[in-house]
Amino acid sequence: MRHIICILLCLVLCAATCTAVSAQESETITAIVFPNSSAVAEENLSVSGYGDKDSGYASSTVGGRLYASVSGTDYRKLEWSKGEYQDLGMQPVMTGGTKNPWGNGAFLEIRVPTAGYESITFSASIGATKKGPRDYKLQISTDGVNYSDVAGQVFSIPANKILYPAFDNAALPADAANVDMLYIRIAVASNMMVNGTAGLIGGTGGETAINNILVSGIPMAVSTTAYSTTTRASEATTTTTEAAFPEQTTASAVTADTTTSALSAPTAQEQASTTTTMLSGVNTGDDRSGTQISALVLLLTLSGFIAVGATKSAKNVGSRTQNN
């Protein structure tokens, strides 16, 4: 009966533990947001202290930088737009011009390290003037050379000078997780302009705007959380066992000392340490949660049996002490 009670308690505590492990929240890896309260029309963003076209632009949050290219090969500076984008004021834009006509493969690109994170998501707002590019697609790369399209992540700007949340918490492929540098590219996807006519490529006018960039992910490390939760579960199992069978905990001072010694024995510590090490090395792919649950069930069930065994041992010692 005592074995069954301990096992049931372990399973209940395991369920709570697994919920805590799987409920990790997404964290911001980088946020690049350009406030326009002090913006000056057509002023280069480098004057505002946000960086430059070669080293990339960034705001106050460390971790990622923004690059732009009208031609698809050379970097292009960002500057504040002339007029307002709806009621959102001036926005950072890259523009086509006589010396910088629109070419094949124009893009806006965010570079950010995602080491230690998985389940990467991306958000950004974009807009354009009537002679700017209408169609865009999202791409990623882990080497800055080979890019692949993110399935289903395309956007067409429907109206002139409006900033749209074009990519809103878009889920990126698994390849985006845990890399030293991730390249996220908003690539111009056609020759169409916002005014509905073809002729973007080679054009010398128009602009595209970008702001409110956010890259998020879920931390991959779980070993510390698993260890602390497992330790608390083992202690809770022992306490509950003592409450259910009080006659086993009041035999004598010797009984208490023996129970304490049994619960703190090196074997129990080594077992918990070994399981923690196992969890820290678990594959962090899609099947991670199932593996962690199995490991925790095993550990907590064994903790229950250890507690029962320690209690029985203590009872026997107490009985012998009384008989003597």
Side-chain angles (χ1 to χ4, degrees):
M1 180 63 180
R2 281 171 287 186
H3 287 69
I4 295 174
I5 292 175
C6 289
I7 292 173
L8 290 175
L9 287 172
C10 288
L11 292 175
V12 171
L13 290 170
C14 182
T17 300
C18 294
T19 300
V21 170
S22 62
Q24 296 178 89
E25 295 182 356
S26 182
E27 295 181 359
T28 297
I29 300 174
T30 191
I32 306 176
V33 180
F34 302 99
N36 53 25
S37 57
S38 59
V40 177
E42 297 186 271
E43 182 176 83
N44 192 332
L45 260 65
S46 61
V47 177
S48 305
Y50 291 119
D52 57 59
K53 66 178 183 179
D54 295 316
S55 63
Y57 298 90
S59 56
S60 58
T61 302
V62 178
R65 303 192 72 83
L66 169 66
Y67 296 80
S69 178
V70 169
S71 66
T73 53
D74 300 324
Y75 294 136
R76 178 71 168 136
K77 68 179 180 180
L78 291 180
E79 56 191 11
W80 292 106
S81 59
K82 294 180 183 178
E84 294 183 351
Y85 271 71
Q86 204 175 28
D87 59 346
L88 300 178
M90 287 178 282
Q91 300 296 327
V93 297
M94 68 172 180
T95 61
T98 304
K99 293 182 179 180
N100 297 281
W102 291 94
N104 286 308
F107 63 82
L108 296 158
E109 182 171 273
I110 296 85
R111 300 178 187 177
V112 57
T114 63
Y117 290 91
E118 61 183 346
S119 301
I120 309 300
T121 59
F122 174 76
S123 298
S125 298
I126 59 175
T129 55
K130 63 182 180 180
K131 290 187 178 180
R134 184 191 71 182
D135 304 321
Y136 303 82
K137 62 182 178 180
L138 199 61
Q139 299 179 316
I140 66 166
S141 173
T142 56
D143 59 11
V145 177
N146 302 294
Y147 289 79
S148 58
D149 295 347
V150 178
Q153 295 301 325
V154 296
F155 186 78
S156 295
I157 294 175
N160 177 42
K161 284 193 175 182
I162 296 177
L163 199 66
Y164 295 93
F167 302 101
D168 186 11
N169 205 37
L172 302 185
D175 292 347
N178 196 32
V179 294
D180 292 334
M181 185 62 69
L182 176 67
Y183 302 79
I184 306 172
R185 180 170 288 188
I186 301 174
V188 174
S190 78
N191 190 38
M192 298 298 295
M193 296 183 288
V194 173
N195 62 14
T197 61
L200 175 70
I201 307 303
T204 58
E207 67 188 28
T208 185
I210 186 168
N211 210 334
N212 307 321
I213 300 164
L214 179 67
V215 180
S216 302
I218 297 177
M220 297 175 68
V222 299
S223 59
T224 300
T225 301
Y227 177 78
S228 61
T229 306
T230 301
T231 302
R232 290 195 297 271
S234 178
E235 292 172 352
T237 301
T238 303
T239 302
T240 305
T241 302
E242 292 174 351
F245 307 102
E247 73 281 359
Q248 297 179 6
T249 63
T250 57
S252 66
V254 175
T255 300
D257 291 341
T258 306
T259 301
T260 302
S261 176
L263 288 176
S264 59
T267 301
Q269 293 177 352
E270 291 172 1
Q271 185 180 38
S273 176
T274 301
T275 305
T276 301
T277 303
M278 177 183 67
L279 285 176
S280 66
V282 169
N283 175 24
T284 54
D286 294 336
D287 61 342
R288 186 186 64 184
S289 296
T291 305
Q292 291 173 345
I293 290 172
S294 299
L296 287 171
V297 168
L298 175 61
L299 175 61
L300 291 173
T301 301
L302 290 175
S303 297
F305 283 119
I306 290 172
V308 172
T311 303
K312 286 184 175 180
S313 176
K315 182 178 179 182
N316 292 335
V317 171
S319 298
R320 289 195 299 270
T321 302
Q322 290 177 341
N323 292 334
N324 293 334

